[in-house]
């Protein structure tokens, strides 16, 4: 018999009690219809009755178009403050005044949960009073100094690099990249969803002085591992930028707005300078979110011991160069500023699980939890009146494998923060590192077939390299690793090669089975060492001050390419003879591999889309594009973070960070400063 016809042309598709008005009217339908349906389900769960009821489907559809459901009971609202307004907003008959995305709805639900925990006195509750959420998704202020009010500032799809309050605190400057377009400067006014473009593509905001002058980074470029650099410039109100110093990572104004404290790299060390040229602090690790105290006597920053890893915590530095580490053992720490009165350092971090929350720590080390919201927070700024500016982040580090000749790449991401570290010679297997929340405090090393088969966890640690025969994976464990782990990719026992007195940052197998590591002794710069797996002996063969960027051994094992102290690539012979400079390969490039004949180095440029892979001939120094790589979904992507190529040159695995973020202001955390 013939199959019965389930639909007919012009029929309305949907379940009568849960259809959005635009579905019934046969208008354009998008994801917001699903949010309407979810609201109807929530209403039914909370009341035990349908939001839109009737004896027939037509009666129920008529109710959707014409009837407003009865409010939730007073007892339900008391038990879960704000739930009534949330459900009503889901069920709004006008598409434009509903929640506009599932992430907005999830954020509002999380705030309701937090308010409910506070009102019931949960031991894990955050500071602040329980306050209902209004129809815009913000928490309505209730009497009392601890009540919180959230204002969403941005609504477009993309990523926010930085933001600061203007001098008077009534608006916000931000650097953002929307809808796959390059980053540029904007000004936002709370309550107005439209952003005013200030232009200046590729310009990042570093700080705003009390007089309103901006310190900016021109020609902003990615250096890898959350690090960006550019030309430091001053930009007065209504004026254009005046260049000061190139290759500056961060800067902040002194309280009088006359001088700048800067962060930059020199000789493989990161250093804080104030005034410019006077070094107050040097580290072989890395520093973020450097902010001068309101009284100008100290500088707070996040100190990260391992390059490319945001584990670390807040520290404070005085103007004589004395540093104090205030709070440690944070698995992820990003975002820092001072409290309005300058008595506390605010930072966003987590130690295990969950997302980054807002914490406070005093200069004597007393810490407290201030605010937790769904997702990852990154605190950016605070006004003297106590308004706090933060980004709510939705980030994932993704990875894809592309075989030449294939139409589409294979998704290689496994958990939330997948780094491609190595590719087998035939391109059939990839070494991956999971360094996010799911990867654990010590990170995790995985092996995965490039056909998309499930990944296999080999052990803890940051993955470094895959042996030429594919039988061993190299990794290091911890933030100050003094041993190299060798994990078998099949059956076998793990080997541990101890290198006491050294912190290992990178490693790669050499042709003869020995290992090259990039490591440093306490207080000294990075340099290359040859590690003998049979004896455990490590012998240095390069100068100090190398960058933490990838190292790459030549096919014949005679030399290793690394980023030298002058911030360009050098070729270091293993016999210790003088290196050969390749200034054409700069710190903006990242090594991929040598060509099989050893005549060229293959590199890619970070921070650009499409990601370009170049072949640099070492004799002629000619640079030519070898391949262009673009992620399947480039929204919220600035560029590639890592590339590896199979030995035959037909397989490419590449990583990229996809960052979708929104900007918020929260008030009520602090009493208004006088």
């Amino acid at each position: 018999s013939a199959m019965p016809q389930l639909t007919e042309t012009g029929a309305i598709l949907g379940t009568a009690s849960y259809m959005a008005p635009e579905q019934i009217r046969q208008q354009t339908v998008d994801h917001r219809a699903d949010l309407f349906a979810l609201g109807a389900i929530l209403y039914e769960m909370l009341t035990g009755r349908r939001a839109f009821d009737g004896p027939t489907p037509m009666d129920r559809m008529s109710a959707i178009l014409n009837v407003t459901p009865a409010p939730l009971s007073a007892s339900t609202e008391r038990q879960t403050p704000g739930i009534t307004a949330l459900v009503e907003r889901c069920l709004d008959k006008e598409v434009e005044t509903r929640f506009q995305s599932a992430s907005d709805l999830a954020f509002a639900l999380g705030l309701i949960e937090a308010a409910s925990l506070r009102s019931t006195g949960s031991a894990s509750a955050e500071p602040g009073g329980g306050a209902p959420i209004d129809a815009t998704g913000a928490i309505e202020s209730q009497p009392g100094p601890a009540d919180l009010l959230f204002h969403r500032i941005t609504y477009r799809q993309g990523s926010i690099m930085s933001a600061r309050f203007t001098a008077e605190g009534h608006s916000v400057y931000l650097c953002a990249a929307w809808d796959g377009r390059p980053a540029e400067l904007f000004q936002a006014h709370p309550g107005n969803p439209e952003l005013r473009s200030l232009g200046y593509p590729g310009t990042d905001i570093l700080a705003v002085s009390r007089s309103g002058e901006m310190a900016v980074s021109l020609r902003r470029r990615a250096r890898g591992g959350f690090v960006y650099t550019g030309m430091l410039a001053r930009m007065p109100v209504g004026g254009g930028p005046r260049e000061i110093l190139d290759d500056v990572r961060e800067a902040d104004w002194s309280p009088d707005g006359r001088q700048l404290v800067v962060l930059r790299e020199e000789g493989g060390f990161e250093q804080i300078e104030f005034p410019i040229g006077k070094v107050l602090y040097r580290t072989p690790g890395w520093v973020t979110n450097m902010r001068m105290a309101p009284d100008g006597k100290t500088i707070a920053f996040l100190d990260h011991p391992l390059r490319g890893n945001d584990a670390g915590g807040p520290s404070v530095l005085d103007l004589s160069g004395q540093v104090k580490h205030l709070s440690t053992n944070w698995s992820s720490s990003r975002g820092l500023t001072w409290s309005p009165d300058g008595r506390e350092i605010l930072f966003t971090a987590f130690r295990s699980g969950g997302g980054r929350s807002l914490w406070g720590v005093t200069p004597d080390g007393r810490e407290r939890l201030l605010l937790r919201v769904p997702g990852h927070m990154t605190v950016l700024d605070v006004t003297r009146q106590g308004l706090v500016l933060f980004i709510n982040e939705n980030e994932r580090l993704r990875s894809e494998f592309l075989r030449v000749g294939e139409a589409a790449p294979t998704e290689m991401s496994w958990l939330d923060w997948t780094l491609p570290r190595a590719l087998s010679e035939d391109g059939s297997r990839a070494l991956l590192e999971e360094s996010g929340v799911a990867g654990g405090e010590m990170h995790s090393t995985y092996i995965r077939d490039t056909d998309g088969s499930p990944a296999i966890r080999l052990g803890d640690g940051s993955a470094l390299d895959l042996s030429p025969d594919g039988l061993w994976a190299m990794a290091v464990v911890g933030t100050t690793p003094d041993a190299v782990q060798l994990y078998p990719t099949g059956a076998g026992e793990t080997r541990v090669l101890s290198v006491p007195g050294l912190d290992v940052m990178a490693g790669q197998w050499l042709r003869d089975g020995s290992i090259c590591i990039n490591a440093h002794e306490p207080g000294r710069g990075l340099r290359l060492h040859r590690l003998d797996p049979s004896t455990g002996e490590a012998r240095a063969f390069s100068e100090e001050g190398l960058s933490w960027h990838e190292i790459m051994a030549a096919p014949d094992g005679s030399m290793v390419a690394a980023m030298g102290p002058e911030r360009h690539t050098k070729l270091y012979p293993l016999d210790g003879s003088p290196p050969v400079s390749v200034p054409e390969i700069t710190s903006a490039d990242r090594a991929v591999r040598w060509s099989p004949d050893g005549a060229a180095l293959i590199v890619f440029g970070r921070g650009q889309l499409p990601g370009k892979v170049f072949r640099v001939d070492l004799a002629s120094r000619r640079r030519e594009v070898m391949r262009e790589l673009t992620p399947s979904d480039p929204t919220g992507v600035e560029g590639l973070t890592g590339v590896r190529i199979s030995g035959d040159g037909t397989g490419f695995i590449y990583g990229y960070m996809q960052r979708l973020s929104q900007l918020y202001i929260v008030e009520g955390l602090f009493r208004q400063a006088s």
Side-chain angles (χ1 to χ4, degrees):
S1 61
M3 182 71 70
Q5 186 173 350
L6 300 180
T7 63
E8 57 182 294
T9 303
I12 299 173
L13 299 181
T15 304
S17 297
Y18 310 102
M19 295 168 64
E22 61 269 24
Q23 285 177 283
I24 297 170
R25 296 189 179 107
Q26 295 184 297
Q27 297 170 336
T28 301
V29 174
D30 59 21
H31 61 280
R32 291 171 292 186
D34 295 328
L35 300 181
F36 184 94
L38 179 58
I41 293 169
L42 287 173
Y43 184 94
E44 193 169 333
M45 292 170 65
L46 292 165
T47 64
R49 63 181 185 273
R50 286 175 173 167
F52 307 101
D53 210 352
T56 69
M58 291 305 297
D59 291 323
R60 295 195 286 274
M61 286 190 285
S62 176
I64 289 170
L65 294 175
N66 302 298
V67 175
T68 299
L72 302 181
S73 68
S75 61
T76 299
E77 178 63 29
R78 282 195 302 271
Q79 185 176 2
T80 312
I83 194 65
T84 300
L86 182 140
V87 172
E88 288 176 353
R89 189 177 177 195
C90 287
L91 295 177
D92 199 298
K93 300 187 190 304
E94 296 298 325
V95 173
E96 297 302 326
T97 49
R98 269 180 232 149
F99 284 104
Q100 296 298 292
S101 71
S103 61
D104 288 352
L105 176 57
F107 186 75
L109 280 168
L111 293 173
I112 285 177
E113 180 185 19
S116 179
L117 287 172
R118 287 193 295 269
S119 66
T120 57
S122 168
S124 62
E126 302 83 10
I133 291 184
D134 67 16
T136 68
I139 293 185
E140 295 175 350
S141 180
Q142 296 292 317
D147 297 327
L148 304 182
L149 177 66
F150 285 78
H151 306 278
R152 181 169 171 178
I153 306 302
T154 58
Y155 293 86
R156 296 173 66 180
Q157 185 88 335
S159 56
I160 299 164
M161 288 72 188
S162 62
R164 294 289 186 272
F165 283 111
T166 55
E168 77 287 347
H170 298 152
S171 62
V172 174
Y173 293 130
L174 65 148
C175 171
W178 303 119
D179 307 312
R181 297 175 60 84
E184 61 178 297
L185 294 182
F186 297 90
Q187 187 171 8
H189 295 270
N192 183 354
E194 297 293 336
L195 302 177
R196 173 174 165 250
S197 174
L198 302 178
Y200 299 102
T203 298
D204 203 358
I205 297 170
L206 302 179
V208 179
S209 73
R210 289 184 179 178
S211 66
E213 184 175 11
M214 284 192 286
V216 299
S217 177
L218 306 177
R219 301 181 289 280
R220 174 185 184 272
R221 52 196 181 270
R223 288 281 301 276
F226 311 107
V227 172
Y228 295 87
T229 189
M231 171 65 74
L232 174 64
R234 298 174 65 145
M235 187 182 291
V237 177
R242 179 172 68 84
E243 297 184 359
I244 297 175
L245 182 65
D246 199 11
D247 219 4
V248 171
R249 290 241 291 101
E250 294 185 14
D252 194 31
W253 292 103
S254 59
D256 61 10
R258 294 182 178 180
Q259 297 188 84
L260 287 161
V261 53
V262 302
L263 172 66
R264 61 194 186 103
E265 185 176 332
E266 188 67 39
F269 286 84
E270 289 212 341
Q271 56 192 42
I272 296 174
E273 302 176 13
F274 182 76
I276 294 175
K278 181 182 178 181
V279 178
L280 297 180
Y281 180 67
R282 298 183 85 216
T283 175
W286 62 300
V287 168
T288 57
N289 306 112
M290 179 190 63
R291 304 296 294 272
M292 183 165 270
D295 62 8
K297 296 180 180 179
T298 54
I299 300 163
F301 59 94
L302 292 174
D303 207 6
H304 311 278
L306 190 63
R307 296 287 184 102
N309 186 330
D310 65 351
S315 298
V316 68
L317 171 72
D318 67 25
L319 301 190
S320 69
Q322 296 297 310
V323 66
K324 182 179 180 181
H325 303 295
L326 303 179
S327 183
T328 58
N329 300 321
W330 298 95
S331 299
S332 172
S333 56
R334 268 188 270 169
L336 176 146
T337 190
W338 287 87
S339 64
D341 59 10
R343 298 177 182 175
E344 192 173 27
I345 296 162
L346 312 182
F347 66 102
T348 35
F350 69 80
R351 285 194 168 100
S352 62
R356 288 190 301 275
S357 300
L358 181 63
W359 294 78
V361 63
T362 59
D364 61 1
R366 289 175 295 149
E367 65 182 47
R368 63 181 179 129
L369 176 64
L370 289 166
L371 179 64
R372 178 178 289 130
V373 302
H376 287 287
M377 294 181 70
T378 300
V379 66
L380 300 175
D381 204 4
V382 65
T383 68
R384 281 173 285 181
Q385 293 72 36
L387 301 178
V388 177
L389 184 68
F390 73 92
I391 298 173
N392 193 44
E393 310 262 22
N394 179 10
E395 295 178 322
R396 190 181 182 195
L397 198 61
R398 302 179 62 182
S399 182
E400 295 178 340
F401 175 77
L402 179 67
R403 180 77 71 177
V404 174
E406 294 182 355
T410 301
E411 178 73 46
M412 291 295 292
S413 311
W414 185 241
L415 301 176
D416 60 329
W417 207 260
T418 306
L419 289 158
R421 292 302 196 187
L423 194 60
S424 65
E425 287 297 302
D426 63 359
S428 65
R429 308 188 87 187
L431 182 68
L432 307 175
E433 177 186 338
E434 286 292 344
S435 58
V437 175
E441 186 177 351
M442 294 291 108
H443 297 189
S444 296
T445 295
Y446 283 84
I447 194 82
R448 189 177 191 185
D449 290 348
T450 55
D451 62 3
S453 302
I456 299 170
R457 189 179 189 276
L458 301 179
D460 289 341
S462 300
L464 300 180
D465 195 22
L466 196 61
S467 64
D469 58 12
L471 298 180
W472 295 92
M474 187 192 312
V476 290
V477 179
T479 55
T480 55
D482 60 356
V484 174
Q485 312 283 324
L486 301 182
Y487 294 125
T489 58
E493 295 288 332
T494 297
R495 296 182 60 194
V496 179
L497 305 179
S498 179
V499 283
L502 292 177
D503 288 346
V504 181
M505 298 292 176
Q508 194 178 49
W509 259 281
L510 299 172
R511 185 179 181 181
D512 63 359
S514 61
I515 292 170
C516 177
I517 57 174
N518 195 12
H520 69 87
E521 300 164 74
R524 302 188 64 175
L526 287 165
R527 55 179 172 166
L528 299 177
H529 298 72
R530 186 174 188 171
L531 174 62
D532 187 335
S534 59
T535 65
E537 179 187 1
R539 178 181 61 83
F541 65 91
S542 80
E543 62 189 324
E544 285 188 31
L546 304 189
S547 168
W548 59 280
H549 291 190
E550 289 91 340
I551 60 176
M552 210 53 67
D556 63 2
S558 63
M559 61 181 64
V560 175
M563 192 65 63
E566 302 84 0
R567 300 176 194 160
H568 65 250
T569 290
K570 287 185 173 182
L571 310 179
Y572 292 94
L574 268 77
D575 62 11
S577 55
V580 176
S581 289
V582 189
E584 292 80 6
I585 303 178
T586 71
S587 59
D589 299 313
R590 301 299 288 270
V592 174
R593 68 171 300 134
W594 289 69
S595 62
D597 60 5
L601 270 171
I602 300 169
V603 302
F604 79 97
R606 292 194 61 122
Q608 52 185 278
L609 283 182
K612 294 183 178 180
V613 180
F614 300 92
R615 185 184 190 275
V616 181
D617 187 273
L618 295 176
S620 67
R621 305 296 171 87
R622 182 181 176 185
R623 184 185 183 104
E624 57 185 3
V625 177
M626 177 179 172
R627 185 84 185 181
E628 290 190 355
L629 300 168
T630 302
S632 320
D633 178 9
T635 305
V637 179
E638 286 192 86
L640 306 184
T641 58
V643 178
R644 291 291 181 265
I645 305 177
S646 62
D648 58 10
T650 65
F652 294 78
I653 188 169
Y654 50 92
Y656 58 94
M657 184 171 72
Q658 188 167 48
R659 185 183 185 196
L660 303 176
S661 49
Q662 298 296 343
L663 192 63
Y664 288 84
I665 292 173
V666 59
E667 59 178 300
L669 279 171
F670 301 96
R671 288 182 173 88
Q672 182 167 323
S674 58

